[in-house]
Amino acid sequence: MDYIKEIAKIVKIDGYTADDIEKMIVLPKELSLGDYSLPCFRFAKELKKSPAQIAIELANTTVKNGIIKSVTAVNGYLNFTIDKAEFTKNTILTILKEGQNYGSSDIGKNRVICLDYSSINIAKPFHIGHLSTTVIGASLYRIFNKLGYKSEGINHLGDWGTQFGKLITAYKLWGDKNDIEKRGVKSLLDIYVKFHQEAEKDEKLNDQGRYWFKKIEDGDKEALSIFEWFKEITLKEVQKTYDRLHIHFDSYAGESFYNDKMQAVLDALKQKGLLEESDGAMVVKFDNGDPPCLVQRSDGATLYATRDLAAAIYRKNHYDFYKCLYVVAYQQNLHFRQVFNVLKMMGYDWSNDLVHVNFGMVSLEDGAMSTRKGNIVFLEDVLDNAVQKAYGIIEEKNPNLDDKKATAEKIGVGAIVFSALQNNRIKDTVFSYDKVLNFDGETAPYVQYTYARCCSVLAKTGEIEGDVDFSGVENNEALELAKLLDKYPQTIIDASVKYEPSLVTRLVMDTAQMFNKFYLEHRINDENQAIKNARIMLTQATKIVIEDGFRLLGIQCPTKM
RNA sequence: GGGUCUGUAGCUCAGAUGGAUAGAGCAAUGCCCUUCUAAGGCAUGUGUCGGGGGUUCGAUUCCCUUCAGGCUCACCA
C-alpha cells in the first residue's frame, strides 16, 4: 500500500492530485510487466493524445525515487517496477519482528463486537447444518479480537417453546432415564420423533404438550426440573464438540433469558404508536413494501421477532456494542430486516450497527436435511470419520509419528472446519463425505502439511548464524511469497469489514501453495550460510503467517505429520 | 405473483473500488524423491464469464431487461 502512495506522489498529470492517481493504480497480470501500473486511457480525451503517447511521455518525465526501480510505457500503461529485494527483505523483517502479533492492530480499541452464533436448540442434535454458523462466528470472534476489538460470543440458545412441553410429555410416556443419561440428545430425539408419530394418531397428545409447556411457563417445579435436566444434558454434550472445535462462548443467554423482557418491548412499541392490531394479532407495519412484523399472537403469546427485539435492546444496554452480528443462515433475511427496521422506527439509531451475517444452506445429496425425517448427518460423526481417515493416512505415510492420535484429531477436525470456511459465506453447499474427506489440493491438510514442512526444514537448518545475504530470496517464488505474506494484515481487516473469514482462508491457502513452489525451486538448507539465513527467515515468516491465519480460522497446525 | 440471493472450465469455486492473453483445486494423462516431509511440485486441455441490450477508450465487474435455480412472503424458530 505504501508503494502505491509513493507512486502516486511522483506521477505528475495536470488536473489530477496524488489521491486521484492513487485510486487509479492497478496490479498488472504479468509479473514481467511490472509490480504496479497506471492505465493512461482516461487521460486521452483531455490531453488530446493517444494513451500510448501519454504513457511514453510520462515514462520519460517521471522522476524515480528510492523504492521505484523503473518506469516503463507499454501499450498505454505506465508500469512501475519496485526494488524487489528491498521489498522482500522488509516484509520478512517486519514479520519476524512482530511474530505472533503480525497483522494485529488496535483499530478496534474500546469497541465491543457482539457475535450471536451457533445458537443451538436444546434437545436437538448438533448436525452439519450447524457447522457454518458455528465456525464462521467463532472465526469472526478471533478476527475481531486480533484487530483489538473485544468480542463477546453469545450462544443464543433455542430453549423456549411448546416443543419442550411435547418433549416432557414424551418423556413421561416413553422416556428412559438411564438411556437419556447414556445416549443424551440422541435418546431425546428418539422420543421426540415418537411423539410426532403418535400425535398424528392421537390429537390429545398435543394438548398434553401444551399443558406441560404451560407448566414450564408457570414455573412448575417438576416441569422445570425436567426441562433443566434436558438443557444440562444438551449443553454437556455439545460442549464436547465445542472443545474439539476450540470454540468459546461468553454467554449462553438464550430465548428463555428474554421471557421477562418482552412485555417492555410491547409497551414501548405501543407507546410509540407503532403497534397495530391485525386479525387479532399485534403487528408493526412498514412502508418499504415488506410484510408486517408479527410481535404478538392473537392468543397473547410473543414470537421470535419479539424475542430478538428484546435481545437487541438488552445487548445494547448490557454491552454497548459497536456492532452486533447475527451469524444466521440467509433463510432469515426477511426476519432480521424486519427486526432491524422495527428498532430503527423505535428511534434507536444503533439499529444501523446490527448486521445479519448470513450464509448459504447445507443440503445432503438426497435433498434437504430434516430432523423429523431423520435425514441428518451428525457433526460428531463427520468429525470422527475425518479423524479416522487422517489416522489411516498417518499409519500409511508416517507410522513412526509420536502422537498419532492428537495429530489425526488436528488434521481431521481441521479438514472439516476448513471446508466450511473456504468459500464465500453466501454459497449453498451440498454435503458429501467424498468431498469433505478428500485431503488433497485446497484443503486444511495441505496447508498443515506445508506448515509441518516448514517446521521440519527449520529443525534441519538450525539457527541463523552470521551475516544474512538477502540475494537468497531474490527470485520470483520468494517475491511472490513475500507479496502474499505482506497482504496478511490487510486481509484480516478486509475479512472483518466484509465479515468474511474465507478471505483469510484463501490467503493462507495461496501462501502455502507459493511456499511449496519456493521450496521445490530453492534449497533452504543451502551450503552458503548467508544465503541459507535469508531462506530460513522467509520460512520462519511463512510459518508465522500460516499458523496465525489458521488460528483465526480455528484450525490447529501440527508440527509433524 | 412480490421481495431477495445465486448463475464463471466436466465438477467445486476465486476473480478489491471497471483495466493488458479470465484463474485455482478436484477429476484425466505424463513426468519429478542417491540433498530440506512426494499429504508435495511440474507439464498437457476445455470457457457464447446464463442470454440480450446499454454506459465507457475499455465490462465477468456498473445499469436495464430476460431466462434458470435457491430462499422467503402473519400467528414455528
Side-chain angles (χ1 to χ4, degrees):
Chain A
M1 207 57 181
D2 293 332
Y3 283 90
I4 294 180
K5 276 206 164 62
E6 290 303 314
I7 291 168
K9 266 191 238 164
I10 59 172
V11 177
K12 307 283 185 222
I13 302 171
D14 286 346
Y16 293 90
T17 66
D19 280 352
D20 297 333
I21 303 288
E22 190 183 327
K23 286 179 197 146
M24 297 179 197
I25 290 170
V26 299
L27 303 178
K29 299 260 166 184
E30 283 287 325
L31 191 63
S32 58
L33 291 165
D35 298 297
Y36 297 97
S37 183
L38 177 68
C40 299
F41 307 97
R42 71 180 71 197
F43 309 122
K45 202 176 271 180
E46 202 170 316
L47 302 178
K48 297 198 169 63
K49 290 175 196 163
S50 76
Q53 183 63 27
I54 295 168
I56 290 168
E57 286 177 18
L58 284 172
N60 290 332
T61 56
T62 300
V63 182
K64 294 185 284 250
N65 65 6
I67 61 168
I68 306 301
K69 244 185 163 177
S70 74
V71 183
T72 53
V74 181
N75 299 332
Y77 288 88
L78 188 64
N79 293 336
F80 303 86
T81 305
I82 62 171
D83 187 331
K84 296 179 185 11
E86 194 65 15
F87 169 79
T88 305
K89 177 182 163 184
N90 287 341
T91 303
I92 292 171
L93 290 175
T94 301
I95 297 169
L96 295 187
K97 191 178 129 207
E98 299 184 12
Q100 306 302 321
N101 292 323
Y102 181 58
S104 292
S105 152
D106 60 356
I107 56 178
K109 202 177 169 193
N110 298 325
R111 286 173 172 171
V112 172
I113 303 284
C114 285
L115 293 116
D116 178 327
Y117 63 103
S118 201
S119 300
I120 52 150
N121 292 315
I122 297 304
K124 293 270 178 67
F126 199 164
H127 59 74
I128 46 160
H130 299 115
L131 182 61
S132 294
T133 173
T134 303
V135 299
I136 290 171
S139 179
L140 291 173
Y141 183 98
R142 297 190 198 89
I143 286 170
F144 278 103
N145 273 345
K146 173 110 187 160
L147 296 175
Y149 296 88
K150 170 83 180 79
S151 296
E152 292 284 352
I154 302 168
N155 200 327
H156 189 73
L157 298 177
D159 61 358
W160 198 249
T162 45
Q163 73 236 27
F164 296 107
K166 292 177 182 176
L167 194 58
I168 290 176
T169 307
Y171 172 67
K172 294 232 130 209
L173 289 171
W174 316 293
D176 175 346
K177 190 166 180 185
N178 289 329
D179 189 59
I180 293 172
E181 291 286 4
K182 214 172 89 192
R183 291 173 55 240
V185 172
K186 285 185 181 173
S187 178
L188 291 176
L189 183 63
D190 285 348
I191 58 171
Y192 186 66
V193 168
K194 178 158 184 170
F195 178 91
H196 280 282
Q197 286 165 353
E198 297 295 323
E200 296 265 311
K201 294 176 245 164
D202 183 5
E203 177 49 30
K204 272 185 239 146
L205 279 176
N206 285 321
D207 293 336
Q208 278 194 55
R210 277 187 279 273
Y211 167 80
W212 277 105
F213 180 59
K214 184 82 170 54
K215 284 202 149 201
I216 298 176
E217 280 187 300
D218 295 344
D220 176 78
K221 240 183 177 171
E222 185 189 6
L224 271 182
S225 79
I226 298 173
F227 174 58
E228 287 301 327
W229 178 49
F230 291 163
K231 197 164 164 177
E232 193 187 310
I233 282 170
T234 309
L235 287 178
K236 208 169 89 191
E237 194 170 314
V238 93
Q239 187 58 45
K240 285 186 207 152
T241 307
Y242 287 145
D243 286 345
R244 295 183 84 176
L245 298 172
H246 308 99
I247 285 175
H248 162 80
F249 293 94
D250 301 293
S251 162
Y252 283 86
E255 293 176 0
S256 65
F257 179 78
Y258 297 101
N259 280 339
D260 60 353
K261 299 171 181 62
M262 285 185 285
Q263 190 54 48
V265 174
L266 293 173
D267 292 346
L269 285 169
K270 190 172 181 186
Q271 187 221 322
K272 289 171 203 269
L274 295 170
L275 217 50
E276 288 184 50
E277 199 246 294
S278 173
D279 290 341
M282 299 308 277
V283 304
V284 177
K285 290 187 175 168
F286 304 106
D287 54 14
N288 66 357
D290 276 350
C293 179
L294 211 61
V295 294
Q296 190 174 31
R297 271 179 2 199
S298 45
D299 68 1
T302 53
L303 287 131
Y304 183 36
T306 330
R307 213 160 267 118
D308 270 345
L309 290 168
I313 294 167
Y314 172 83
R315 288 173 190 171
K316 184 61 190 177
N317 291 336
H318 191 261
Y319 297 107
D320 192 26
F321 55 73
Y322 172 71
K323 298 270 185 199
C324 179
L325 314 184
Y326 297 81
V327 187
V328 180
Y330 69 60
Q331 275 99 323
Q332 296 185 34
N333 278 355
L334 176 62
H335 164 75
F336 283 110
R337 201 164 73 224
Q338 289 177 321
V339 168
F340 298 170
N341 273 330
V342 170
L343 289 164
K344 197 187 195 89
M345 287 158 73
M346 291 175 84
Y348 296 124
D349 53 355
W350 49 263
S351 67
N352 293 318
D353 304 326
L354 305 171
V355 183
H356 178 202
V357 179
N358 59 2
F359 56 86
M361 50 183 285
V362 180
S363 56
L364 303 180
E365 280 160 316
D366 54 353
M369 271 183 290
S370 163
T371 305
R372 231 174 292 165
K373 288 181 197 158
N375 194 24
I376 50 171
V377 176
F378 294 100
L379 185 57
E380 276 299 309
D381 293 345
V382 176
L383 294 177
D384 288 343
N385 276 314
V387 170
Q388 202 183 347
K389 162 115 192 223
Y391 193 86
I393 296 176
I394 292 171
E395 283 289 8
E396 179 195 325
K397 311 228 177 204
N398 196 358
N400 298 322
L401 191 66
D402 281 342
D403 37 7
K404 285 188 270 197
K405 266 186 103 171
T407 305
E409 174 76 13
K410 288 176 185 172
I411 295 168
V413 172
I416 302 305
V417 172
F418 187 95
S419 75
L421 294 176
Q422 66 177 329
N423 295 142
N424 287 345
R425 288 180 347 241
I426 201 67
K427 297 279 182 183
D428 288 336
T429 49
V430 177
F431 176 83
S432 104
Y433 265 114
D434 281 351
K435 246 178 63 187
V436 99
L437 293 184
N438 180 7
F439 294 173
D440 296 326
E442 294 174 341
T443 64
Y446 172 91
V447 176
Q448 288 167 321
Y449 182 79
T450 308
Y451 178 84
R453 179 179 256 176
C454 287
C455 294
S456 170
V457 169
L458 289 173
K460 287 236 162 84
T461 55
E463 297 298 307
I464 291 170
E465 287 169 33
D467 293 335
V468 180
D469 180 356
F470 282 96
S471 71
V473 289
E474 267 184 60
N475 49 66
N476 283 347
E477 290 78 16
L479 172 67
E480 289 295 293
L481 180 54
K483 279 187 177 174
L484 291 168
L485 297 173
D486 175 62
K487 271 167 72 175
Y488 185 60
Q490 184 59 42
T491 300
I492 298 172
I493 293 170
D494 291 346
S496 79
V497 170
K498 293 181 175 167
Y499 314 109
E500 191 63 89
S502 66
L503 296 178
V504 174
T505 316
R506 248 175 254 129
L507 182 74
V508 174
M509 186 71 236
D510 292 346
T511 301
Q513 283 178 331
M514 196 51 71
F515 177 80
N516 282 326
K517 290 183 190 193
F518 170 76
Y519 168 87
L520 256 292
E521 286 293 323
H522 309 282
R523 187 171 169 75
I524 295 160
N525 204 0
D526 198 83
E527 295 82 16
N528 180 320
Q529 182 69 41
I531 296 237
K532 172 174 157 181
N533 286 342
R535 293 182 182 164
I536 289 175
M537 289 169 83
L538 180 58
T539 305
Q540 288 172 331
T542 303
K543 180 175 172 245
I544 288 170
V545 169
I546 289 179
E547 184 172 25
D548 194 62
F550 257 32
R551 182 186 65 78
L552 292 178
L553 302 177
I555 303 174
Q556 314 248 301
C557 288
T559 54
K560 286 181 186 165
M561 66 185 272

